[in-house]
Amino acid sequence: MVNTSEVKWIPTNYRTNTLNEIASNGKLFINSEVTLCGFAEIIRGKGAVCFIRLRDGTGHLQAFIKKGNVSDQELELSQNASRESTFQIKGIIAEKRAPKVPEGEPLPPAEYEIVASEVNILSLAETPMPLGITDKVEVGMDVRLDNRFLDLRRKHVNAMFRLRSKILQYGREHLISEGFGEINSPKIIAAAAEGGTNLFPIKYFDRNAYLSQSPQLYKQLAVMGNLERVFEIGPAFRAEKHDTYRHLNEFISFDIEMAWASDEDVMCVQERMITQIWRKIKENDQNLIDDVNEFRISDGKEPIVVNVPTIPFPRVSYCDAIELIKKSGSDIKWGDDIEAHHADIIAEKYSEFYFIPRWPMSMKPFYIFHDKSEVSKTGGQLSRGFDLNYGRDEMTSGGQREHRAGVLTQNLIDVGLNPDDFDFYVDGFRYGAPPHAGWGLGVARLLMVLTGAGNVRETVLFPRDRKRCTP
RNA sequence: GCUCCUGUAGUGUAGUGGCCUAUCAUGCAGCCCUGUCACGGCUGCGACCCGGGUUCAAAUCCCGGCAGGGGCGCCA
């Protein structure tokens, strides 16, 4: 279930070992006395014996409870316990009796079990459960989310969130290796950071405030402060009434910002980070991918394969993308947004990761850098803003930022924002400002790509959408 | 904001006007068997979202409500 090779599992007051330690190194434990804990995944046996398949956060192990080894009361309570009840069992590790195999077939590898001498039921599970942990019965998304704590116990769901943790870990490690430091920006803000999307208003004592839609302005200020290269993994809030497989109203954004860099420089950081995440997952976490695949196969889906993408990712500039879409017969002109059905056309040619650099300045936020000499064939002003897509889906939005205070103020005016509201930001650029660039990446969307999940709700523990604010 | 669709046992489903005191699986309860391990066998429990209407007859058709899902726009 989890790669425990590098983890030191220190005993707790409840257990001496994890189940996986015993299951994978049983030989070393034979005849030794241990105390183990876990959920009872299956309870079988009547009369003189009882078998419990225990599960903890590391793996599984069978407990064998036999009349005479424990009190009659312990045996009976165990036999009558409901599935998913939690147990603490003290006993001796032994090799499992080998199963009967048909003539001529080889015996399976040795397995181990704990032969109980003491059984302590920590908590009895109520019945029936709202959804089955191991049952081969489908469950609707709504029931799953209402009972996420149970849903998470299902192997493939559990694996999904362990993979999420790995993505964050490997991403962090990679950025740190390139000189980035982690920051935390405020999530309570006074004014709309970027305009455009709707914010959630909140009461901040006796004033009005909002939940942050993006760490954008603050990570830039951190760079102005000579933190040089920063990243943040934190929540962003958007009060948009969307209702799709890829949108939530609260999501975790993986953001970077770096000094002395252009749009192209941070695209390179991103493709290095993504390939490194893929490479590490492939090296270390195939077991988690296998858990996901086991479910996908039982569900009639293709198993996922972790293919490390090759660098560089294709760059399909905005202008080229428009040409490509036009060629397919779609009605689009320079200056139009590339919508989902347009992205489908690009995805026919570029089905994996690709960048769309150099969007029209008119379509990008005020803080994006533009160079007057960089224009389209038709004369439209280009920007240093880019997107990263995977097929039809947008993963990232980023770009080189405007570091000229005067231009920033003009940009604010051009998009109809009041520069006075942004003094806290523009002031940061008045006393020397390095050219800089960055991006924000949707963690859940990246996990969707990695795992083939068809809905962002699969990749977020407790998703917040238009209809759902609990649990 | 605009669209399309769906509500049947705890869970997932079958059902398209009468054969529905509603199918199957899983679950749960009980019994039998058993060093079990995809265990097996038997018995039982448990449901048509709510309110109107059409009809001799409604889970099924119509209207309203409530709840949920898909898609679009916008975005990560």
Side-chain angles (χ1 to χ4, degrees), chain A residues 294-435:
Chain A
E294 190 182 313
F295 177 79
R296 287 180 65 87
I297 290 164
S298 76
D299 200 32
K301 295 196 180 98
E302 286 289 306
I304 48 166
V305 180
V306 182
N307 288 321
V308 180
T310 49
I311 289 181
F313 297 168
R315 267 70 166 164
V316 184
S317 74
Y318 173 85
C319 293
D320 292 347
I322 294 294
E323 289 304 314
L324 196 63
I325 296 160
K326 263 190 196 160
K327 252 183 227 161
S328 79
S330 244
D331 188 28
I332 193 169
K333 62 179 189 300
W334 196 93
D336 287 344
D337 198 9
I338 297 176
E339 296 170 358
H341 61 281
H342 297 133
D344 285 331
I345 295 163
I346 306 173
E348 285 171 20
K349 193 167 173 189
Y350 302 97
S351 58
E352 299 186 340
F353 289 112
Y354 62 92
F355 287 107
I356 307 180
R358 303 289 157 111
W359 287 69
M361 187 57 200
S362 58
M363 301 173 64
K364 284 292 167 186
F366 70 87
Y367 53 78
I368 292 289
F369 179 88
H370 70 281
D371 181 326
K372 284 235 164 83
S373 70
E374 294 168 357
V375 294
S376 72
K377 279 183 223 160
T378 52
Q381 178 61 246
L382 294 174
S383 77
R384 295 276 179 92
F386 68 87
D387 283 0
L388 174 73
N389 276 29
Y390 185 90
R392 79 190 301 254
D393 294 318
E394 186 178 338
M395 299 281 122
T396 290
S397 188
Q400 180 172 341
R401 318 306 190 184
E402 183 54 69
H403 62 281
R404 300 162 292 187
V407 181
L408 265 180
T409 302
Q410 187 56 51
N411 285 353
L412 283 164
I413 293 164
D414 288 349
V415 296
L417 292 169
N418 181 358
D420 292 347
D421 292 340
F422 290 86
D423 280 346
F424 76 97
Y425 171 71
V426 178
D427 283 353
F429 296 80
R430 296 192 197 283
Y431 309 99

Side-chain angles (χ1 to χ4, degrees), chain A residues 31 126 172 202 300 318 321 327 329 340 407 446:
Chain A
N31 289 328
E126 288 181 21
R172 266 197 179 93
I202 58 167
Y318 173 85
K327 252 183 227 161
V407 181
L446 195 62

Side-chain angles (χ1 to χ4, degrees), chain A residues 175 178 180 229 256-273 315 355 384 386 396-401 436-440:
Chain A
L175 289 178
E178 291 205 15
F180 287 81
R229 295 183 178 188
I256 75 157
E257 201 67 33
M258 65 190 282
W260 325 111
S262 71
D263 51 345
E264 178 62 26
D265 292 319
V266 290
M267 283 191 267
C268 292
V269 172
Q270 180 151 65
E271 61 192 4
R272 284 195 297 270
M273 184 183 93
R315 267 70 166 164
F355 287 107
R384 295 276 179 92
F386 68 87
T396 290
S397 188
Q400 180 172 341
R401 318 306 190 184
H436 60 292
W439 41 255

Side-chain angles (χ1 to χ4, degrees), chain A residues 181-192:
Chain A
E182 188 159 5
I183 60 166
N184 298 284
S185 65
K187 301 307 159 199
I188 300 172
I189 56 168

Side-chain angles (χ1 to χ4, degrees), chain A residues 154-166:
Chain A
R154 305 202 297 161
K155 192 156 72 167
H156 65 285
V157 180
N158 206 269
M160 181 71 81
F161 288 98
R162 290 176 189 271
L163 281 168
R164 185 182 165 107
S165 167
K166 295 295 180 183

Side-chain angles (χ1 to χ4, degrees), chain A residues 23-257:
Chain A
S24 57
N25 286 304
K27 218 167 200 168
L28 305 177
F29 288 92
I30 283 190
N31 289 328
S32 51
E33 186 178 76
V34 296
T35 304
L36 305 176
C37 288
F39 297 92
E41 197 163 277
I42 314 166
I43 302 176
R44 264 198 295 272
K46 290 285 171 183
V49 295
C50 177
F51 301 95
I52 299 178
R53 180 172 156 87
L54 288 175
R55 180 192 68 240
D56 70 7
T58 68
H60 296 88
L61 194 78
Q62 174 166 282
F64 177 45
I65 305 169
K66 193 177 180 181
K67 195 179 174 75
N69 288 169
V70 300
S71 72
D72 288 357
Q73 192 195 20
E74 283 173 301
L75 177 63
E76 195 186 329
L77 285 173
S78 302
Q79 288 169 334
N80 292 331
S82 46
R83 298 197 300 173
E84 294 301 314
S85 297
T86 50
F87 282 72
Q88 180 188 43
I89 295 180
K90 188 172 172 182
I92 304 291
I93 301 303
E95 192 167 333
K96 259 173 90 173
R97 194 168 291 189
K100 300 178 201 91
V101 294
E103 281 289 321
E105 285 193 24
L107 280 172
E111 289 187 65
Y112 302 90
E113 65 185 3
I114 178 171
V115 180
S117 55
E118 281 177 38
V119 178
N120 179 17
I121 297 177
L122 300 168
S123 161
L124 272 177
E126 288 181 21
T127 61
M129 290 189 292
L131 58 91
I133 308 302
T134 55
D135 312 338
K136 291 208 168 15
V137 176
E138 301 214 2
V139 200
M141 183 63 79
D142 216 41
V143 172
R144 291 177 54 197
L145 291 179
D146 282 340
N147 302 277
R148 191 59 132 175
F149 48 89
L150 282 179
D151 185 46
L152 276 169
R153 295 185 196 176
R154 305 202 297 161
K155 192 156 72 167
H156 65 285
V157 180
N158 206 269
M160 181 71 81
F161 288 98
R162 290 176 189 271
L163 281 168
R164 185 182 165 107
S165 167
K166 295 295 180 183
I167 284 184
L168 295 176
Q169 180 190 337
Y170 299 147
R172 266 197 179 93
E173 287 170 358
H174 178 78
L175 289 178
I176 289 167
S177 81
E178 291 205 15
F180 287 81
E182 188 159 5
I183 60 166
N184 298 284
S185 65
K187 301 307 159 199
I188 300 172
I189 56 168
E194 309 178 20
T197 98
N198 295 313
L199 304 188
F200 288 108
I202 58 167
K203 272 279 172 217
Y204 189 68
F205 301 111
D206 52 357
R207 280 193 295 160
N208 291 322
Y210 301 91
L211 291 177
S212 169
Q213 63 171 125
S214 160
Q216 182 60 37
L217 306 186
Y218 295 95
K219 61 181 183 169
Q220 286 186 259
L221 290 178
V223 169
M224 292 308 108
N226 197 31
L227 288 178
E228 179 87 14
R229 295 183 178 188
V230 297
F231 73 95
E232 171 164 8
I233 302 171
F237 306 90
R238 308 268 166 100
E240 299 284 351
K241 291 181 179 174
H242 33 46
D243 198 7
T244 77
Y245 67 92
R246 61 189 186 281
H247 287 100
L248 292 174
N249 296 296
E250 174 180 346
F251 64 95
I252 298 299
S253 181
F254 199 139
D255 273 86
I256 75 157
E257 201 67 33

